[in-house]
Amino acid sequence: MAYSKLKIDVIRIVAILLLLSLSLGIYNKGGASKEEVVEKLLISVYDKDGKTHMWKIIPKKRKEELILKNREVMTFGDISTNEEWLAYDDAIGTGPWELFVKNLKNRKVFQVTNNDQAGEIDIEILSEKPLKICVSRVGLSSPIPRIWIFDVEKKKAQMVKPINSDMAFDEIEVIDSNHILTVAYSYKDEKKMYEDNSSVDSIKHTFYIIDLKNQKYTKITELKAGSIGALGFVPKSNIITFSATNIYLNSTRKKGETGIYKLDLKSKVIVPILTESMLKKIKDTSVEEFSSPIEGYLSNDGKKLWFIGIPKNSNKMMFGEGIEAYPSAVFEYDLREKKVRKIFEKKNTFITKMTVSYGK
């Protein structure tokens, strides 16, 4: 009888401890199995000899890896979420720009286009199985930038039909395998903006989400800006980040602002993350100003911003065959502490493109 009572007491104690551990999260299987999102930056650098090298860096782990080197032109691309594929553009010798994919596991390279008469403006891997690539591209036969979907396995390409013939697209961002975000503008308006002695410094840009199955456009919002770039979708959120020049968020503003912003897809509210004026106010920083192109991306938790900048005390240099530019680097901005630090730099190079991939 005493043994039975002892056994019951032990069972009760174990049950109480188990409940306590559950409430404290010690025995929380859901929490233990939660996968951490790891941000990977793909950075294209151009050196003094006129060669491009692509680096993959993981800021939180302070890791970097050279994944493409010694390309003769300014290449850029995108890494798949599972890190198996690199999609990029390249020109071999005197040939035209072509779209390539590289298997990062076995290092094999596949050419997607052949004797292409168009060039890529933006490249995004849409899906991994099957491997599909979404690009914005422009060519001699089609001077207005359009969005295309390449099915690598089936060797097929399909253009996403624009709402009207004047509609142009530079930037794209994948939401999922069936939806992309893009920013559209009038090709005619852009041409007027870049005419000699033009007084126009901004044009209307419209954010859309496109359902690729039925090619349906859903308008998110519109704004006035000189240009929009570096679209980034923060996973499991409603946040889109983008860069902008001469943006007018306030209708009474007389002069446009330049910087990196975020758009809430639900509320449709746009707020600045880091602008030129904000950057100038940060004390004891190693960055002089934004580099061109202005590009920046948020960490998954929204606490860090990675952007391209010109280090302080830098001097202009000659790169390749007569390109004069400032060397540049990647900086990290801590949104809570309002501090900036340098996290990536290759001596005597400038960065031509940076993209982000949120994976495991």
Side-chain angles (χ1 to χ4, degrees):
M1 193 76 176
Y3 174 77
S4 298
K5 186 177 182 300
L6 178 62
K7 187 176 180 181
I8 291 169
D9 289 342
V10 169
I11 292 172
R12 284 176 177 170
I13 291 169
V14 170
I16 291 168
L17 288 172
L18 181 58
L19 286 170
L20 282 171
S21 66
L22 283 168
S23 65
L24 292 171
I26 297 170
Y27 194 73
N28 189 339
K29 286 187 177 179
S33 63
K34 186 178 179 181
E35 293 179 338
E36 180 188 4
V37 175
V38 178
E39 304 90 343
K40 293 171 283 288
L41 299 176
L42 181 62
I43 302 163
S44 298
V45 300
Y46 192 72
D47 66 20
K48 287 200 305 181
D49 299 322
K51 300 290 180 68
T52 293
H53 315 274
M54 276 191 190
W55 291 85
K56 180 188 75 176
I57 71 167
I58 304 176
K60 289 181 179 178
K61 296 183 178 180
R62 298 187 179 183
K63 289 184 178 180
E64 60 182 49
E65 177 186 356
L66 181 64
I67 60 174
L68 201 67
K69 62 181 180 179
N70 294 325
R71 310 318 302 160
E72 299 288 342
V73 291
M74 293 183 184
T75 62
F76 67 94
D78 186 36
I79 297 178
S80 62
T81 303
N82 64 6
E83 294 190 67
E84 185 175 349
W85 298 102
L86 167 69
Y88 65 99
D89 68 337
D90 199 356
I92 309 300
T94 57
W97 290 89
E98 307 284 5
L99 182 62
F100 293 84
V101 291
K102 180 178 182 178
N103 188 309
L104 296 176
K105 292 184 178 180
N106 59 27
R107 303 295 177 181
K108 290 183 179 179
V109 175
F110 305 90
Q111 188 170 327
V112 179
T113 58
N114 186 26
N115 195 25
D116 203 355
Q117 297 302 311
E120 277 63 48
I121 301 171
D122 198 8
I123 300 172
E124 290 283 324
I125 294 178
L126 184 63
S127 64
E128 297 151 354
K129 294 180 181 180
L131 182 59
K132 292 184 179 182
I133 303 169
C134 183
V135 304
S136 60
R137 61 205 317 259
V138 64
L140 296 175
S141 60
S142 177
I144 301 177
R146 294 284 189 248
I147 298 173
W148 287 77
I149 307 297
F150 286 87
D151 189 317
V152 177
E153 294 175 10
K154 293 182 178 179
K155 297 181 180 180
K156 291 183 178 180
Q158 180 185 13
M159 187 181 77
V160 178
K161 294 179 181 178
I163 295 175
N164 59 64
S165 60
D166 185 45
M167 202 174 193
F169 312 88
D170 283 347
E171 297 292 323
I172 48 177
E173 174 68 1
V174 171
I175 303 296
D176 57 44
S177 59
N178 292 317
H179 298 86
I180 61 171
L181 179 98
T182 188
V183 180
Y185 58 91
S186 163
Y187 182 67
K188 292 178 182 177
D189 287 350
E190 187 192 48
K191 285 183 70 177
K192 290 178 181 178
M193 185 171 61
Y194 288 114
E195 287 176 352
D196 291 340
N197 302 317
S198 174
S199 60
V200 179
D201 68 349
S202 62
I203 58 175
K204 184 177 77 173
H205 288 76
T206 306
F207 287 75
Y208 290 99
I209 288 180
I210 305 176
D211 185 325
L212 296 175
K213 284 187 176 180
N214 54 27
Q215 298 205 8
K216 179 183 177 183
Y217 286 71
T218 300
K219 180 180 174 180
I220 306 302
T221 190
E222 64 182 41
L223 54 83
K224 283 186 65 178
S227 64
I228 300 288
L231 295 181
F233 174 62
V234 183
K236 297 180 181 179
S237 77
N238 296 305
I239 299 300
I240 292 289
T241 58
F242 65 93
S243 64
T245 62
N246 291 323
I247 185 173
Y248 289 81
L249 293 180
N250 189 331
S251 58
T252 61
R253 192 180 180 98
K254 293 182 179 180
K255 185 178 179 182
E257 179 66 284
T258 292
I260 301 161
Y261 300 80
K262 66 178 180 180
L263 161 65
D264 188 306
L265 293 176
K266 278 191 174 180
S267 67
K268 301 181 182 179
V269 173
I270 298 172
V271 296
I273 304 173
L274 185 64
T275 65
E276 283 183 336
S277 57
M278 292 167 65
L279 189 58
K280 289 177 181 178
K281 292 177 182 177
I282 299 175
K283 297 179 180 179
D284 301 321
T285 176
S286 57
V287 61
E288 183 67 36
E289 59 186 26
F290 288 123
S291 180
S292 181
I294 297 175
E295 294 182 337
Y297 300 96
L298 272 180
S299 60
N300 182 63
D301 58 14
K303 297 177 182 178
K304 310 285 186 183
L305 173 74
W306 299 297
F307 68 94
I308 307 172
I310 298 172
K312 278 194 171 177
N313 303 316
S314 295
N315 297 312
K316 277 190 173 181
M317 296 176 56
M318 297 301 296
F319 296 90
E321 297 181 2
I323 299 175
E324 187 178 23
Y326 284 101
S328 55
V330 178
F331 294 85
E332 180 181 271
Y333 173 55
D334 189 310
L335 274 74
R336 292 181 300 179
E337 297 182 2
K338 309 298 181 185
K339 292 182 179 179
V340 175
R341 70 183 183 96
K342 191 191 315 180
I343 64 166
F344 176 86
E345 182 181 32
K346 295 301 170 184
K347 189 177 179 181
N348 297 331
T349 68
F350 71 91
I351 297 169
T352 58
K353 185 76 173 179
M354 180 173 74
T355 58
V356 69
S357 174
Y358 299 92
K360 300 176 183 178

